[in-house]
Amino acid sequence: MLSIIINIFKILILFGVTVFVHELGHYLVARMLGLQIDVFSIGFGPALLKRRHNGIVYKIGAIPFGGYVALPQMDPGGEEKSDRDGRRLPRIAAWKKIPVAFSGAAGNLILAFVLAYIIFHGGQAYAPEKTNIIGYVYTNSPAYEAGLRIGDEITGLRGADVSRPPMVITSWEQFLLESSMHERVELRVVSGEGEHRTVLCETEKVWGSRMIPGITPFTYCLVLNVRPNSSAREAGIQPRDRIVELNGQPLFSREHLVMLVGQYRDVTVPVVIERGGATMELQVTPKYDEEIGRALIGIEFNTLDVRRPAEQIKSHATMIFRILQKLATPRESKAASDSLGGPIAIFVIFWLSVQGSILVALSFTCFINVNLAVINLLPLPVLDGGHILFALIEIITRRPLPRRVADTLANIFAVLLITLFVLLSCRDVKRMVLPMFAGDEVPAAETNAPPVPQE
């Protein structure tokens, strides 16, 4: 019970910081430009904590899913209102509304970069720069039956529409996103020996999104710890070494190393490692472990693969832009909408993240901040991008949008947004929550990144 409370507290803190920096951005720029600020709130609904200072109400709401800064002069026609003291609010220049509206997204992007630096320097295990390579294929999977093999580089992907040229694939995230849009995909791959071929694969649904099960991406075999009295210790392998070859075979993933070690029980084989920028060859003898039931060399992997901060942000942003593009494309909108999640999905993924490690949780928080920044800048009423759009219209036409028009648009989109959240939440419950109570297998165990045992 205590662990559940702690995990919920972690989620509230991480999500609360995300909301706080967004609203803080609006607040700071609004104060700098002299706008009237009525309320600064983290959360909605009845106030758990509330304080008035210099005419501004600061509060924490009982519903922790968001927040707001009440800026009456940001509303089209808002300058026509009177404040609570009966004073007329001065009209502000339209250009001032743009930086105030943009500053919320800017706050999230700044936090995302801070988190990306923490993740990069705290993760220690750095991901390969080239990620569109298959690191492992489970032999009992449809992917193996289709012909995918360890070391294959995925260079292109095409769905059911064979009249269209294959999309060029440059990263694992892009491969996952593009393959999730189709029930069947045609992959262009290049083997480690340079052979070009085409592979047809079926996708399966997991939590509403499609994927090709049974494959994992290229990962480095970085050593976290070496067990005492193990064959790895005897061979001279040390923490922070990267194992690159075993018996002359280049390694493409931790799972690949586990498989090869199992093939050389009680056989002394050469192992090539990288240490401090230099490579060296050692000799290691895998030994059978009675407790685990297979051959081991006695190391623990560093399994948190992270990229450089800018690459993390680029990957997150590319993912959301591609999804938005697909939502706007008629032939792909249905598949794209199936992969969307609502508030409950975010909470579930947060829950799984905080149970993993703090760096995993920070990584998902970084992803959420980038997504929040991008989505809030969409030119839709009730979003920050809508305020920017209205301000640009006012600058071009030299008059504010009629209040009745602005209010009507805002009300329509508010209803649409609330309806979307309700529908997504209902679908999240059906996909993620109900299967847990029914005792079904947790879908996360079927993803393309299964846990890796100690080696």
Side-chain angles (χ1 to χ4, degrees):
M1 183 63 183
L2 179 60
S3 62
I4 293 177
I5 295 174
I6 292 175
N7 285 336
I8 291 176
F9 181 74
K10 290 178 182 178
I11 294 172
L12 292 177
I13 290 296
L14 292 173
F15 191 72
V17 170
T18 297
V19 173
F20 176 76
V21 297
H22 183 92
E23 303 307 334
L24 183 64
H26 290 314
Y27 173 83
L28 292 177
V29 176
R31 289 204 66 170
M32 182 178 66
L33 295 177
L35 273 69
Q36 171 71 29
I37 303 174
D38 288 343
V39 181
F40 182 101
S41 176
I42 302 300
F44 299 107
L48 299 178
L49 294 174
K50 184 176 180 180
R51 182 183 178 187
R52 180 187 295 275
H53 180 69
N54 290 336
I56 302 174
V57 175
Y58 299 89
K59 69 175 186 176
I60 298 177
I63 304 174
F65 301 113
Y68 64 94
V69 178
L71 301 167
Q73 291 163 300
M74 288 291 291
D75 296 333
E79 64 275 5
E80 299 171 1
K81 297 179 182 177
S82 296
D83 64 16
R84 58 176 55 90
D85 295 322
R87 296 171 298 181
R88 304 291 289 184
L89 296 177
R91 181 171 181 172
I92 63 170
W95 70 264
K96 290 186 177 181
K97 299 179 181 181
I98 296 177
V100 172
F102 180 79
S103 58
N108 287 123
L109 288 176
I110 292 172
L111 177 59
F113 271 103
V114 171
L115 293 175
Y117 272 97
I118 294 173
I119 294 162
F120 179 72
H121 292 291
Q124 298 180 359
Y126 304 129
E129 292 187 7
K130 199 169 190 178
T131 61
N132 59 328
I133 298 175
I134 297 176
Y136 191 74
V137 184
Y138 288 87
T139 55
N140 60 346
S141 68
Y144 188 88
E145 294 178 4
L148 293 178
R149 294 295 183 265
I150 296 172
D152 284 348
E153 179 181 352
I154 303 173
T155 59
L157 182 149
R158 180 163 56 185
D161 188 359
V162 295
S163 64
R164 301 179 62 193
M167 174 168 289
V168 176
I169 300 297
T170 58
S171 70
W172 193 260
E173 291 82 4
Q174 184 191 14
F175 159 68
L176 292 178
L177 177 61
E178 298 300 332
S179 60
S180 71
M181 298 294 119
H182 310 282
E183 295 181 2
R184 189 183 191 193
V185 294
E186 177 186 286
L187 300 179
R188 303 292 175 89
V189 300
V190 181
S191 69
E193 293 75 31
E195 174 193 359
H196 292 256
R197 66 186 194 279
T198 300
V199 178
L200 297 178
C201 291
E202 303 287 338
T203 61
E204 297 181 9
K205 271 196 172 184
V206 178
W207 276 356
S209 182
R210 291 192 165 275
M211 58 173 289
I212 300 174
I215 57 177
T216 65
F218 178 30
T219 57
Y220 286 154
C221 298
L222 289 162
V223 180
L224 179 65
N225 290 311
V226 181
R227 293 181 181 180
N229 304 319
S230 65
S231 56
R233 177 67 62 87
E234 294 171 0
I237 297 175
Q238 300 177 9
R240 301 187 69 84
D241 287 348
R242 177 192 164 199
I243 305 176
V244 296
E245 287 186 12
L246 184 69
N247 199 26
Q249 299 187 56
L251 298 174
F252 290 96
S253 65
R254 296 178 283 268
E255 297 92 340
H256 190 199
L257 176 58
V258 170
M259 180 191 75
L260 292 178
V261 166
Q263 297 176 1
Y264 298 110
R265 174 181 173 180
D266 299 325
V267 178
T268 300
V269 292
V271 57
V272 177
I273 64 167
E274 285 186 0
R275 180 186 301 165
T279 61
M280 62 183 69
E281 182 176 299
L282 306 173
Q283 301 292 319
V284 67
T285 306
K287 298 178 181 178
Y288 188 76
D289 187 291
E290 294 287 349
E291 182 179 348
I292 296 180
R294 61 181 177 83
L296 303 173
I297 61 175
I299 64 171
E300 295 178 14
F301 294 117
N302 191 333
T303 59
L304 184 61
D305 302 316
V306 296
R307 299 181 185 178
R308 298 186 181 279
E311 293 173 355
Q312 293 179 52
I313 303 300
K314 179 182 177 182
S315 175
H316 298 330
T318 300
M319 183 75 73
I320 184 61
F321 278 123
R322 288 292 295 143
I323 291 177
L324 291 173
Q325 180 186 14
K326 291 180 179 299
L327 286 171
T329 305
R331 62 175 171 267
E332 296 179 323
S333 58
K334 175 62 168 64
S337 63
D338 286 342
S339 65
L340 295 179
I344 293 178
I346 294 175
F347 179 83
V348 170
I349 299 175
F350 253 131
W351 180 265
L352 296 174
S353 299
V354 297
Q355 291 185 81
S357 72
I358 185 61
L359 289 179
V360 173
L362 292 179
S363 180
F364 183 65
T365 307
C366 178
F367 174 78
I368 288 295
N369 274 269
V370 174
N371 277 257
L372 185 62
V374 172
I375 291 174
N376 262 283
L377 291 178
L378 294 177
L380 302 176
V382 311
L383 297 180
D384 294 336
H387 288 293
I388 295 175
L389 176 63
F390 289 164
L392 290 174
I393 292 175
E394 184 176 346
I395 291 173
I396 295 172
T397 63
R398 298 185 179 181
R399 65 181 64 182
L401 199 68
R403 183 170 185 80
R404 181 175 297 179
V405 174
D407 288 346
T408 300
L409 290 174
N411 290 335
I412 290 174
F413 278 89
V415 171
L416 291 175
L417 189 62
I418 293 172
T419 302
L420 176 63
F421 278 5
V422 172
L423 292 176
L424 290 177
S425 297
C426 291
R427 193 170 67 178
D428 292 343
V429 170
K430 181 179 178 181
R431 290 176 175 177
M432 299 181 172
V433 179
L434 293 182
M436 296 180 184
F437 289 99
D440 296 343
E441 183 178 355
V442 179
E446 303 172 5
T447 66
N448 287 29
V452 180
Q454 295 180 348
E455 180 46 49

